[in-house]
Amino acid sequence: MGLEDIRARLANAEREAGRAPGSVTLVAVSKVQPLARVEAVLEQGQRIFGENKVQEAAGKWPGFRDRFDGVELHLIGPLQSNKSRQAVELFDAIHSLDRPKLARRLADHAQEGGACPDLFIQVNTGEEPQKAGVLPAETDAFVAECRGMDLPVRGLMCIPPVGETPSLHFALLAKIAARNGLAGLSMGMSDDFEQAVALGATHVRVGSAIFGTRSNG
């Protein structure tokens, strides 16, 4: 498997779902990948990448951005409030907005800097106690709170529980997004992104199927 195979599968999933070609954004998840693997994928034309940690992205991407035009970075892992300023400077989109304290921090940085990355609210669709994310029943209120801070909330994100049918969680996320007038749906990973596309995903996050098994972590 690799980038070309995933692109072909994504195009096929769009076709089968009656979606416009290119309507789903492929986020290549490059966390803890060796630089040589990331460079190879950049050289194949991929420009949108997902990272889990601010620190790792800060060490990896400035050099690549100097060499490759049009790189777009998405933070897909949990964001600590004390790393929020650095995240705003580094990322084009943050998929893991999950609590009021973080929303207030991001709003403060946006006021100071005059810009803010696109934001996706992470919803804990499986209501798992160990997992980050807003509970489904609390999402409408949190969306309204973020909009009240003038934050650019573009959509919702979820990570379905291991061992459960992902499509049920994708359908729930799509339903919550629709009633809040949100177009963006960040859902679907290497094993289930075709199901996510069928249920309305606008961003799929694919790592191992593009890069191979991660080197660590």
Side-chain angles (χ1 to χ4, degrees):
M1 220 171 303
L3 180 63
E4 287 312 313
D5 180 63
I6 294 301
R7 283 176 169 166
R9 284 172 56 189
L10 182 56
N12 187 56
E14 287 174 334
R15 255 194 318 276
E16 289 194 355
R19 310 273 301 273
S23 58
V24 182
T25 299
L26 174 62
V27 181
V29 179
S30 48
K31 61 180 183 179
V32 304
Q33 290 292 348
L35 295 181
R37 284 191 195 174
V38 179
E39 185 170 4
V41 172
L42 278 160
E43 284 174 348
Q44 289 177 74
Q46 177 67 21
R47 288 294 178 270
I48 301 171
F49 291 84
E51 289 284 343
N52 253 34
K53 294 181 178 172
V54 175
Q55 215 84 356
E56 185 189 343
K60 184 190 293 181
W61 283 100
F64 282 141
R65 276 183 153 156
D66 288 343
R67 293 172 48 211
F68 295 93
D69 287 338
V71 167
E72 203 177 285
L73 275 189
H74 292 231
L75 180 67
I76 58 173
L79 177 57
Q80 297 166 288
S81 297
N82 64 355
K83 298 263 172 50
S84 57
R85 185 185 300 278
Q86 193 179 8
V88 165
E89 292 165 359
L90 192 58
F91 290 96
D92 300 284
I94 294 170
H95 292 232
S96 48
L97 174 56
D98 63 353
R99 59 197 187 280
K101 181 184 176 184
L102 180 58
R104 286 192 291 273
R105 282 282 178 94
L106 293 172
D108 289 345
H109 302 323
Q111 290 287 320
E112 290 166 21
C116 185
D118 287 344
L119 299 174
F120 291 75
I121 290 171
Q122 183 171 350
V123 182
N124 185 350
T125 54
E127 302 189 22
E128 298 173 273
Q130 79 284 10
K131 194 176 277 183
V134 184
L135 294 173
E138 296 167 6
T139 304
D140 295 0
F142 187 54
V143 170
E145 188 176 354
C146 291
R147 283 175 166 158
M149 298 180 208
D150 286 332
L151 287 171
V153 178
R154 304 292 180 222
L156 305 178
M157 181 270 251
C158 76
I159 303 169
V162 175
E164 290 194 19
T165 306
S167 56
L168 298 176
H169 295 271
F170 299 155
L172 173 60
L173 197 74
K175 186 178 171 185
I176 298 170
R179 71 171 180 244
N180 283 284
L182 292 168
L185 287 169
S186 172
M187 60 190 197
M189 296 186 276
S190 290
D191 294 334
D192 55 26
F193 70 86
E194 282 117 332
Q195 293 175 52
V197 171
L199 288 162
T202 57
H203 295 69
V204 295
R205 311 179 304 272
V206 180
S208 55
I210 292 174
F211 293 99
T213 310
R214 293 201 300 272
S215 56
N216 57 57

